[in-house]
Amino acid sequence: MRSHFIHPGAALLLAPLLAFLGLAYGIPFLGVVKWSFTLPELGLGQYGTLLTDPLVQSVFVRTFRICALVTLASVTAAYVIAYVWVRGTTGQRLAAEYCILVPFWISVLTRAFGWVALLSNQGLINTWLRAIGILDEPLMLVRNEFGVIVGMAHFLIPFAVFPIASAMRNLDERVLLAARGMGGGRARIFWSVFVPMTMPGIIGAALIVFVFALGFFVTPSILGGGRSVMVAELVYLRIFQSPDWGLGAAISITLVVIVGLLSTALYRYLRPAQMVG
Amino acid sequence: MRGYRPGPVALFVALLVAVFLLMPLLAVVPVSFTPSRMLSMPTGALSLRHYRTLIEDPRWLDSILFSLRVGIFSSTLATLFALAFSLGIWMFRPRFAAVLVGFVLLPMIVPPVVSAITLYFLLTTLSGLGSAVGYDTWPGVVLAHTVVIVPFAVVLILVSLAQVDRRIDLAARGLGASTWERATKIIIPNIKFGIATAWLLSFVLSWEEIGITLFITSVNAITLPRLMWMGLRDNIDPAIAAISVILILITVTVLTVRIVYRWARGLA
């Protein structure tokens, strides 16, 4: 079958999707690249704005800060729940699986709304805290960075669980036995054997979460309430509110470059097979 | 070494994480039964008015039907594209297979907002050509959803193809089966569950899609998430709590059936 450069049957099967994505995705992407260099006038002006405009820069800085905090929170939480999912008793594993999969399958909007219902000024948490008498004034829990970080971490924990759990499952049991045989206590085994040996899973999860978080749009705009705009929302605002398509396009292209670099790092670091399992 | 179990500290922290994961899903339940017209907390009085709104206000029903139509079309298209492509990769193992797969997976890796602006470019251009497939039309939404869900269908079908024993296909080929016969009589029957899963996942992804849909619709093509978004952004409409509770219930039911089935089979 390898004698043809491209077998006619193969061409017939491969062509529809390649042609579809080429026409519906590849060429329009080049159109967006063109926008970034031509709107409103030909040149590198929009990229210059990206590098000099304090507003755009503050949005990038905020995005990186939020993404870093979200990554830290999600990976930590995911590690703990993955640990119980992989190493727990049957009942614990079932419960952990449930807690991971149920939110995973529920839409981003429903989840964002759930956080609004919990965190807003008239939300459940503020209502309870005032009913008990702990608070007089409602705590500002949402429509700020705190709300954004909580909502995004909630969305991204399941995505961090899968690579971590996979690394935990691939861990050779005999290593743990050996550690115990040499007199290691449970905390010692956990910190000096278990965590270092699952480090590829941790780093893979961190990169996945960070890359996902960079392009996040829905959760920040609902829970940030327009006060803590992230890069993706800035693109939306440039396209629909201020019509400034050139800047929106230039920001998008910059985002692709950043994500491309991070994905290359991810690919080099982890064998792709580990990601699926 | 099943003896190496999580200790009390790990279990306690995991419990906190579990509460954190489930809390926002539970929080919408009391809100959905409040009688107030604005988002408010339960004060004791229960009401089904927000559930009634879902039935009485035609916008909700329209958007559900719209989402169903878009989901069925786009997941069917995506599954067919993905099936043909994956069969091509598996049966012929073409040169540069990794590059080809990498290319079709791009919409999954590229940040959604970049896909959104790309599809916005596509659909506004098509609208400018006077095409029926354009900005704020249902075929436009189908086109855009197909682009972003097709990589997921490809991944699932490639994974199920990887589990097919190549010797069956070799035997069929040795007995003189044509490419068409090998595909339809040997390979597809062996991956039919994978294909069904790919269709279902594609449908769910289209049904929930909002990040791209926001960029390519405005007033005519309103999917259910788009309507929820409008209610969330403008004034927080408690009918969203009611629809959220229904969506959560459906998800929980399907997942419970699946998890129980898998565990029962795994432990039997």
Side-chain angles (χ1 to χ4, degrees), chain A residues 7 13-14 20 25 29 35 80 86-88 97-98 105 109 113-114 122 124 154 173 186 217 221 240 245 256, chain B residues 1-2 5-7 14 21 24 41 84-85 92 114-115 120-121 143 201 208 214 225 229 233 241 256 263:
Chain A
H7 188 281
L13 287 168
L14 296 173
F20 172 71
Y25 198 68
F29 179 75
W35 272 359
V80 180
V86 173
R87 311 243 63 155
E97 186 167 327
Y98 214 78
W105 282 107
L109 275 175
F113 178 70
Q122 312 89 33
L124 291 176
H154 183 258
E173 306 270 337
R186 53 173 328 117
F217 173 64
S221 35
F240 293 109
W245 293 357
V256 171
Chain B
M1 188 186 158
R2 278 278 90 110
R5 299 281 187 212
L21 284 171
M41 289 308 120
F85 178 82
F92 296 100
V114 178
S115 298
Y120 174 75
F121 180 92
L143 178 65
L201 177 78
E208 292 185 344
L214 271 180
W229 166 272
R233 280 299 292 248
T256 306
W263 278 71

Side-chain angles (χ1 to χ4, degrees), chain A residues 1-7 9-10 12-14 16-18 20-29 31-32 34-35 77-78 80-81 83-94 97-118 120 122-125 127 143 150-151 153-154 157-158 173 176-177 180 186 189-190 194 211-212 214-218 221-222 226 231-233 235-236 239-241 245 248-249 252-253 255-256 259 263 276, chain B residues 1-8 10-11 13-15 17-18 20-28 30-31 39-42 81-89 91-96 100 103-115 117-122 124 135 143 146-148 150 154-155 159 173 179 182 201 204 208 210-211 214-217 224-226 228-229 232-233 236-238 240-242 244-245 247-248 251-253 255-256 258-260 262-263 267:
Chain A
M1 280 301 162
R2 281 174 181 269
S3 54
H4 302 271
F5 181 72
I6 179 94
H7 188 281
L12 210 63
L13 287 168
L14 296 173
L17 181 55
L18 292 173
F20 172 71
L21 283 179
L23 291 172
Y25 198 68
I27 293 172
F29 179 75
V32 175
K34 193 189 84 186
W35 272 359
V80 180
I81 199 110
Y83 184 58
V84 174
W85 190 25
V86 173
R87 311 243 63 155
T89 62
T90 307
Q92 290 163 1
R93 289 165 62 200
L94 190 59
E97 186 167 327
Y98 214 78
C99 294
I100 295 160
L101 291 184
V102 168
F104 181 72
W105 282 107
I106 284 170
S107 99
V108 60
L109 275 175
T110 307
R111 298 208 238 166
F113 178 70
W115 283 112
V116 171
L118 271 172
S120 68
Q122 312 89 33
L124 291 176
I125 289 179
T127 312
R143 311 226 176 262
V150 165
H154 183 258
I157 287 170
E173 306 270 337
L176 302 177
L177 270 176
R180 190 192 266 175
R186 53 173 328 117
I189 295 177
F190 181 79
F194 197 82
V211 165
F212 260 55
L214 275 180
F216 237 69
F217 173 64
V218 173
S221 35
I222 291 171
V231 168
E233 196 180 356
V235 173
Y236 181 78
I239 299 288
F240 293 109
Q241 286 193 353
W245 293 357
S252 299
I253 305 302
L255 206 53
V256 171
V259 166
S263 303
V276 186
Chain B
M1 188 186 158
R2 278 278 90 110
Y4 189 76
R5 299 281 187 212
L11 285 177
V13 183
L15 183 68
V17 175
F20 177 77
L21 284 171
L22 298 182
M23 216 165 40
L25 312 183
L26 298 174
V28 297
V31 177
L39 177 73
S40 64
M41 289 308 120
F81 277 133
L83 178 62
F85 178 82
S86 310
L87 281 175
I89 295 287
M91 290 174 77
F92 296 100
R93 288 187 266 186
R95 272 166 228 229
F96 314 118
L100 295 181
F103 173 70
V104 304
L105 296 188
L106 273 181
M108 187 168 77
I109 301 154
V110 166
V113 67
V114 178
S115 298
I117 186 172
T118 302
L119 291 162
Y120 174 75
F121 180 92
L122 171 73
T124 47
Y135 181 77
L143 178 65
T146 306
V147 169
V148 292
V150 83
V154 168
V155 168
V159 167
R173 204 195 294 174
T179 302
R182 281 162 59 208
L201 177 78
V204 172
E208 292 185 344
I210 178 68
L214 271 180
F215 277 76
I216 55 161
T217 58
L224 177 63
R226 172 90 212 205
M228 290 173 72
W229 166 272
L232 270 174
R233 280 299 292 248
I236 296 187
D237 178 352
I240 295 169
S244 296
V245 169
L247 294 176
I248 290 171
T251 311
V252 169
T253 312
L255 272 176
T256 306
R258 192 169 157 267
I259 290 177
V260 167
R262 269 191 43 219
W263 278 71
L267 298 174

Side-chain angles (χ1 to χ4, degrees), chain A residues 53 63 130 275:
Chain A
D53 186 286
T63 304
R130 270 185 295 182
M275 309 290 311

Side-chain angles (χ1 to χ4, degrees), chain B residues 29-67:
Chain B
V29 178
V31 177
S32 74
F33 291 107
T34 53
S36 158
R37 205 156 50 81
M38 301 298 290
L39 177 73
S40 64
M41 289 308 120
T43 47
L46 290 179
S47 156
L48 287 173
R49 68 176 285 179
H50 303 312
Y51 290 88
R52 230 176 17 244
T53 308
L54 294 183
I55 302 165
E56 286 168 1
D57 185 343
R59 289 186 312 154
W60 288 100
L61 194 61
D62 288 349
S63 72
I64 289 171
L65 293 176
F66 185 88
S67 276

